[in-house]
Amino acid sequence: MYKKITLFLIFICYSVLGQTSYRNLSSENWTFNKQNEIKKHKATIPGTVHTDLFDNQLIPDPFFGDNERQLQWIENENWEYETTFLLSEKEISNENIELEFEGLDTYATVYLNGKIVLEADNMFRKWIISAKNQLKKGKNHLKIVFQSAVQKGKEEVEKLLYTLPEKERVFVRKAQYQFGWDWGPRFVTAGIWKKVQFKFWNSATFENIKYSQVELNDLKAILEFTTEIRVSEVKTIQLKINEKSETFNLKKGTNKVKMHYEISNPKRWWCNGLGFPHQYEFHFSLEQNRKILDNKELNIGLRTIELVQDKDTFGTSFCFKLNGKPVFMKGANYIPQDSFIPKQTPSSHYELVQNARKANMNMLRVWGGGIYADDQFYNICDANGILVWQDFMFACAMYPGDEKFVENIKQEVIDNVNRLQNHPSIALWCGNNENDEGWHNWGWQKQFKYSKADSTKIWNDYKKVFHEVIPQTLDSLLSKEKNLYWPSSPSIGWGRKESLTQGDSHYWGVWWGKEPFEMYKKKVGRFMSEYGFQGMPNLETLEKVIPKEDFNFTSEAFKNHQKHPTGFETINEYMARDFAVPNSLEKYNYVSQLLQAYGMKTAIEAHRLAKPYCMGSLYWQLNDCWPVTSWSTLDYYGNWKAAHYQVKESFAQILLAVTEHANGLSIIGSNDNLKAISGTLAIKLIDFSGNELWSTTKECTLDVEKNTTCMQISNAELPKFEKEKTVLIIAFTSNQKKVVTHHYFVKPKELQLKKPTIEIKIVGETLIELKTNTLAKNLYLQANNAFFEENYFDLIPGFPKIIKTQKPTQETKVMSLFDAMNK
């Protein structure tokens, strides 16, 4: 027995000897300073110069008031970051030592012990330096000088004989939204925005692992893993994948080896609403003579994804199929969660994706003006069944096409596709956001007075990047089932009729064109990848960043937290169409949220009622990067606006909708499940006091591939009623659940509401029951920052409602539409 234990311990010692290891340098004592200034200040890594300046009390809160304006000097300066660190005898004795920067923002000169070892020029790339020859045992010094991205961009502007739209930002490979957007501030950052570490290895190490699905059916899945292994000399190694092991003879340098792996009776990965997002765990190890040289882990979801674009009588379809099933995509556009990206955390990613899942979403579009999100974001999407439409980071402009810039883009694509391609959540790679539309629809040629030669050169540069370099690079990196590429979103601008018959659509006639919400019903494309309307966040959100004395629409601080030049003017115009415009800020805030929700409801129902002609609805936008009035349905702090509650209802697996026509009403059911669902449809016409005027029931089966007209109700069937005082309640009850919706016959401002008396009763630790004596329209609940799982809902007499909260509540305040529309 003693001998066995001794041998086992010897084996453990050998198994870790020489194994690849890492040392995170982020926790070292870092300092920063403005270039040419002697005084140094404490820095946090990962971080940005703005957050470091604030943490050292050298600048005020960038988000507060109109501080943004006085902080623009920061973007024009160069900044230095440095640290010293100790290397042990054991660390320095490794054969290979690599210095890895996962993210440098953006123009960075790296000095290691006084020698330049790297000149970086892309925020989105990973930079790896072979550092052993520059390192020594004991004390070492690392310094990084960040040049102003704005100044570097302006230098590139001067080199061109013509002007590209958006000027300096298009020359700089960094997050484009940092240069300012119509929902975000201008904070052009610099710094070490991701992890920096040493990688120590000796005999062999993993460089990259990817897989393809050779075969996938109900009986088996066959995967082919392609593993890139770097070795320091010719050697024989064992590659082990879970319980399977194979031996390979490798040459010095980088080797690609392939192994097949079979899974019996495989479970598929499904998106939210259709099934469980099952993943398989894989453990990879490199071994030689019983020694483990390197380890990797990978989670894999088995699924097929297709983008179906078939010609039909209307144009060309745009439909995603998951595991062979057409899926109506429901979701939103995702932007960075902070102006200062390192402030994002795994928990903030988790909460955001959870909020998307709770709102019945199955897809998020990572928008091209932000960043390639970090690994945790995609891991959480994988685990929650949220598919990802992944833009490359180009937005609303035209970009240069010189050889150096294009090669930089190519390496950026390689880095990020290699990093992300194994995620089952990745559904589509998209070249850019609105560049194609901007070129053809936004009048740039006239605005910038391009000659014919200029226009030809700019458009040819565009085609080189988005129709040649990116798709060709994807072809070299991805297996067929992962390689879905779409050059630009949208494919055709919203002012052209073809935008509604093929490709994806960004429809901005509502908001930008000030067309009424009813136009959403007419302007339905094959896949709606952008549309939206602004709503204010809760006042508590704005109170955190606007001084009390500036809490009015005319103050500079208040106006600074509305980035659209005519934002409140547009909200006012729409509000007057459908609601009474309140005379207090508190009531205005509440009605602005109802207005946004009203628009979203109209749009999403129109898209779903057009199924299967339309097979996707991704609104603009899910979240904010700072506290602001914007198109988001979740504010900067993750609070749900009224629109997010509406989205949850409108994106439910079963949607009930009412359409009015000259002869009466149609009740339509939209079913996004995998199977048809049968149930009972019950309809009641009641007045606002709860008196039943008319009712009927009918058995109904909701189809899957197309919507179902459950019932036609002629005007003659209904009794005479006052439209301003009546609501239609539609309920569908099946074995699964009960779905209820309400239909009103006039606009909100035309409803003849009475002041409701709300009875609130605590019926459980986190449950409250609400009753009313008359219709309480859009009842808004508030209680000590508590989250209510339902809010801004209609409470009808005779229909008590039980609401769950995340924590116990003692005092719940309420506001209804009657309160907001009356003094």
Side-chain angles (χ1 to χ4, degrees):
M1 180 67 181
Y2 174 79
K3 184 177 181 181
K4 288 182 179 179
I5 294 174
T6 303
L7 290 173
F8 178 68
L9 292 173
I10 292 172
F11 172 74
I12 291 177
C13 293
Y14 273 104
S15 69
V16 298
L17 184 64
Q19 185 173 335
T20 298
S21 61
Y22 296 86
R23 177 177 167 187
N24 191 344
L25 290 179
S26 302
S27 58
E28 299 292 337
N29 292 321
W30 286 84
T31 63
F32 82 104
N33 59 277
K34 189 167 70 173
Q35 195 173 42
N36 299 322
E37 285 192 354
I38 297 174
K39 188 172 183 180
K40 301 182 187 300
H41 309 278
K42 179 177 173 55
T44 300
I45 307 299
T48 72
V49 65
H50 291 76
T51 50
D52 284 331
L53 287 166
F54 177 68
D55 290 343
N56 283 274
Q57 300 181 335
L58 298 173
I59 61 171
D61 183 349
F63 289 170
F64 194 78
D66 60 351
N67 288 344
E68 174 193 355
R69 300 179 185 182
Q70 61 177 292
L71 300 180
Q72 294 307 301
W73 62 271
I74 299 170
E75 69 179 34
N76 294 307
E77 301 292 339
N78 298 336
W79 300 91
E80 299 179 348
Y81 280 74
E82 59 187 307
T83 188
T84 57
F85 57 91
L86 299 175
L87 283 180
S88 66
E89 177 69 38
K90 180 180 179 181
E91 289 172 323
I92 203 71
S93 66
N94 282 279
E95 292 179 30
N96 301 281
I97 307 175
E98 292 169 350
L99 180 57
E100 297 183 345
F101 294 95
E102 294 191 0
L104 292 172
D105 180 14
T106 293
Y107 292 93
T109 303
V110 178
Y111 297 83
L112 187 55
N113 289 328
K115 181 178 179 181
I116 295 177
V117 293
L118 173 65
E119 296 274 6
D121 60 356
N122 190 323
M123 176 182 182
F124 304 123
R125 287 176 58 182
K126 182 176 182 177
W127 303 94
I128 301 175
I129 306 155
S130 179
K132 183 174 174 64
N133 293 338
Q134 280 74 48
L135 294 167
K136 57 189 177 182
K137 178 185 173 183
K139 189 175 182 180
N140 291 264
H141 182 254
L142 178 61
K143 179 179 178 179
I144 307 167
V145 178
F146 292 95
Q147 292 182 277
S148 163
V150 171
Q151 296 303 324
K152 293 289 287 186
K154 288 179 177 178
E155 291 172 11
E156 295 301 314
V157 168
E158 296 302 317
K159 295 178 183 179
L160 280 186
L161 299 178
Y162 49 81
T163 301
L164 289 176
E166 300 301 327
K167 300 180 180 178
E168 74 267 15
R169 81 162 165 86
V170 303
F171 295 91
V172 180
R173 291 311 300 143
K174 78 188 277 44
Q176 301 285 273
Y177 81 107
Q178 294 178 345
F179 291 82
W181 226 266
D182 56 5
W183 39 259
R186 180 177 175 115
F187 289 121
V188 185
T189 60
I192 306 169
W193 73 287
K194 285 189 174 183
K195 183 167 62 177
V196 53
Q197 65 184 5
F198 278 121
K199 177 181 178 179
F200 304 100
W201 66 279
N202 291 290
S203 190
T205 188
F206 286 118
E207 283 199 331
N208 187 43
I209 299 171
K210 61 184 179 181
Y211 75 95
S212 62
Q213 293 173 174
V214 177
E215 185 176 345
L216 177 60
N217 54 52
D218 292 341
L219 296 178
K220 65 179 177 180
I222 299 177
L223 305 179
E224 181 180 74
F225 289 98
T226 301
T227 307
E228 292 183 18
I229 304 169
R230 190 146 46 107
V231 295
S232 55
E233 60 187 10
V234 175
K235 64 175 68 268
T236 299
I237 61 97
Q238 289 76 46
L239 173 60
K240 189 174 182 181
I241 304 177
N242 289 352
E243 75 290 345
K244 184 177 180 180
S245 178
E246 290 187 17
T247 300
F248 296 92
N249 297 315
L250 305 181
K251 66 181 188 302
K252 182 179 179 180
T254 300
N255 300 257
K256 287 186 179 181
V257 301
K258 297 181 183 295
M259 271 182 66
H260 282 187
Y261 192 96
E262 185 171 325
I263 300 172
S264 299
N265 304 313
K267 298 177 181 178
R268 308 293 178 98
W269 185 94
W270 286 99
C271 66
N272 184 34
L274 296 185
F276 185 73
H278 185 85
Q279 295 184 79
Y280 289 90
E281 294 182 0
F282 285 89
H283 304 273
F284 300 81
S285 64
L286 286 176
E287 299 180 14
Q288 185 182 36
N289 299 329
R290 296 191 304 169
K291 291 190 295 184
I292 298 175
L293 307 178
D294 202 357
N295 286 298
K296 290 286 183 184
E297 294 185 355
L298 181 64
N299 290 336
I300 289 175
L302 302 177
R303 91 288 187 274
T304 60
I305 189 87
E306 307 165 66
L307 178 57
V308 180
Q309 297 184 82
D310 290 338
K311 297 286 184 182
D312 55 29
T313 56
F314 306 104
T316 305
S317 66
F318 195 98
C319 171
F320 287 93
K321 278 188 175 182
L322 179 65
N323 297 323
K325 303 291 185 180
V327 180
F328 191 98
M329 294 300 168
K330 299 175 290 193
N333 287 258
Y334 165 81
I335 65 170
Q337 291 164 248
D338 208 289
S339 291
F340 309 113
I341 301 166
K343 290 173 67 177
Q344 298 178 165
T345 63
S347 63
S348 67
H349 289 322
Y350 176 80
E351 290 171 6
L352 181 124
V353 174
Q354 284 292 313
N355 284 333
R357 183 188 62 79
K358 289 176 183 176
N360 296 309
M361 298 184 193
N362 58 20
M363 176 176 274
L364 294 176
R365 175 180 175 231
V366 178
W367 172 72
I371 60 170
Y372 306 93
D374 68 30
D375 294 334
Q376 280 299 318
F377 171 82
Y378 299 96
N379 290 337
I380 297 166
C381 286
D382 293 343
N384 284 275
I386 304 296
L387 288 160
V388 173
W389 170 312
Q390 178 66 56
D391 281 4
F392 290 100
M393 293 302 114
F394 304 88
C396 304
M398 301 301 284
Y399 290 80
D402 60 274
E403 185 176 345
K404 181 181 178 182
F405 189 83
V406 172
E407 179 59 27
N408 201 353
I409 291 169
K410 181 178 179 180
Q411 293 305 315
E412 172 187 321
V413 172
I414 291 171
D415 282 0
N416 286 283
V417 172
N418 278 340
R419 177 171 70 92
L420 301 178
Q421 67 163 290
N422 292 321
H423 289 280
S425 56
I426 296 286
L428 182 75
W429 307 92
C430 180
N432 65 74
N433 172 78
E434 297 185 346
N435 295 9
D436 188 304
E437 177 185 4
W439 180 253
H440 289 103
N441 286 12
W442 295 356
W444 285 334
Q445 290 90 327
K446 183 178 180 180
Q447 177 184 352
F448 297 107
K449 300 177 182 179
Y450 293 139
S451 66
K452 184 176 180 180
D454 292 340
S455 292
T456 300
K457 174 68 167 62
I458 294 168
W459 182 243
N460 283 342
D461 285 347
Y462 173 91
K463 290 193 294 184
K464 182 196 303 182
V465 172
F466 299 106
H467 291 272
E468 296 175 23
V469 172
I470 291 180
Q472 289 171 6
T473 305
L474 292 177
D475 289 343
S476 70
L477 298 173
L478 298 172
S479 54
K480 185 178 180 180
E481 80 273 6
K482 295 180 183 178
N483 194 1
L484 300 183
Y485 176 68
W486 190 241
S488 184
S489 179
S491 52
I492 302 171
W494 63 266
R496 302 187 180 192
K497 62 179 182 180
E498 295 86 1
S499 70
L500 301 179
T501 62
Q502 63 190 60
D504 70 316
S505 301
H506 293 191
Y507 174 62
W508 285 107
V510 171
W511 183 266
W512 284 98
K514 293 191 176 180
E515 295 174 349
F517 287 147
E518 288 75 17
M519 287 300 291
Y520 277 135
K521 300 175 183 180
K522 299 179 180 180
K523 301 291 186 177
V524 178
R526 311 310 296 263
F527 192 104
M528 304 303 293
S529 49
E530 267 196 35
Y531 60 91
F533 196 86
Q534 280 198 355
M536 295 179 71
N538 293 343
L539 292 182
E540 292 82 1
T541 291
L542 294 178
E543 286 170 349
K544 294 178 180 179
V545 292
I546 298 175
K548 188 175 182 180
E549 62 271 19
D550 290 333
F551 221 71
N552 60 77
F553 288 105
T554 60
S555 77
E556 292 303 311
F558 202 93
K559 289 190 286 186
N560 192 50
H561 291 267
Q562 161 62 279
K563 287 301 183 181
H564 192 278
T566 61
F568 285 122
E569 174 189 316
T570 302
I571 291 173
N572 287 343
E573 184 172 328
Y574 276 88
M575 191 180 291
R577 293 175 187 175
D578 296 315
F579 293 83
V581 180
N583 56 8
S584 76
L585 183 55
E586 180 183 14
K587 293 178 180 179
Y588 184 95
N589 174 275
Y590 162 77
V591 175
S592 84
Q593 292 204 26
L594 299 186
L595 179 69
Q596 182 188 26
Y598 191 58
M600 299 300 290
K601 179 180 190 293
T602 306
I604 295 171
E605 284 190 5
H607 302 160
R608 293 191 66 181
L609 293 183
K611 175 184 172 179
Y613 179 88
C614 176
M615 286 300 290
S617 185
L618 310 179
Y619 66 85
W620 185 267
Q621 66 207 63
L622 178 64
N623 61 300
D624 282 325
C625 67
W626 75 317
V628 67
T629 294
S630 79
W631 294 265
S632 74
T633 59
L634 298 170
D635 74 15
Y636 173 69
Y637 300 105
N639 300 311
W640 289 34
K641 298 183 186 178
H644 205 75
Y645 287 97
Q646 180 59 58
V647 163
K648 177 183 178 182
E649 181 179 333
S650 296
F651 278 160
Q653 288 297 94
I654 295 176
L655 173 74
L656 298 176
V658 179
T659 61
E660 295 188 40
H661 45 81
N663 298 322
L665 309 171
S666 296
I667 313 298
I668 301 172
S670 186
N671 174 21
D672 284 344
N673 292 284
L674 293 177
K675 296 180 180 179
I677 294 178
S678 297
T680 302
L681 189 70
I683 303 173
K684 289 185 178 182
L685 186 70
I686 67 171
D687 65 21
F688 292 168
S689 296
N691 299 310
E692 184 177 308
L693 307 177
W694 175 87
S695 66
T696 187
T697 61
K698 181 184 177 182
E699 297 302 309
C700 183
T701 298
L702 302 182
D703 202 347
V704 173
E705 294 186 359
K706 62 182 186 301
N707 295 319
T708 304
T709 300
C710 301
M711 186 181 294
Q712 300 272 17
I713 304 172
S714 68
N715 290 330
E717 292 179 67
L718 296 173
K720 288 186 178 181
F721 64 93
E722 296 180 81
K723 291 185 176 181
E724 298 80 6
K725 299 180 179 180
T726 313
V727 59
L728 195 69
I729 303 175
I730 306 101
F732 178 81
T733 306
S734 68
N735 290 333
Q736 292 185 339
K737 61 188 298 186
K738 184 177 183 178
V739 179
V740 179
T741 193
H742 303 143
H743 176 74
Y744 296 88
F745 298 90
V746 295
K747 292 183 176 182
K749 69 178 181 181
E750 297 168 347
L751 296 173
Q752 294 185 15
L753 301 171
K754 295 181 180 180
K755 183 173 180 60
T757 300
I758 310 298
E759 178 186 337
I760 303 174
K761 182 179 180 182
I762 297 174
V763 294
E765 186 179 13
T766 58
L767 295 174
I768 60 172
E769 182 183 65
L770 298 105
K771 296 180 181 179
T772 183
N773 64 328
T774 186
L775 170 67
K777 187 86 174 73
N778 302 121
L779 193 63
Y780 170 45
L781 310 176
Q782 285 180 291
N784 301 323
N785 297 316
F787 173 76
F788 295 89
E789 293 197 352
E790 292 183 71
N791 214 335
Y792 301 92
F793 53 83
D794 295 346
L795 185 62
I796 295 174
F799 293 85
K801 201 169 186 68
I802 293 179
I803 304 295
K804 182 175 176 57
T805 63
Q806 282 188 329
K807 61 181 182 180
T809 58
Q810 295 301 318
E811 183 180 352
T812 301
K813 298 178 181 179
V814 297
M815 180 188 289
S816 71
L817 187 59
F818 175 89
D819 302 316
M821 295 173 68
N822 293 272
K823 294 183 180 180

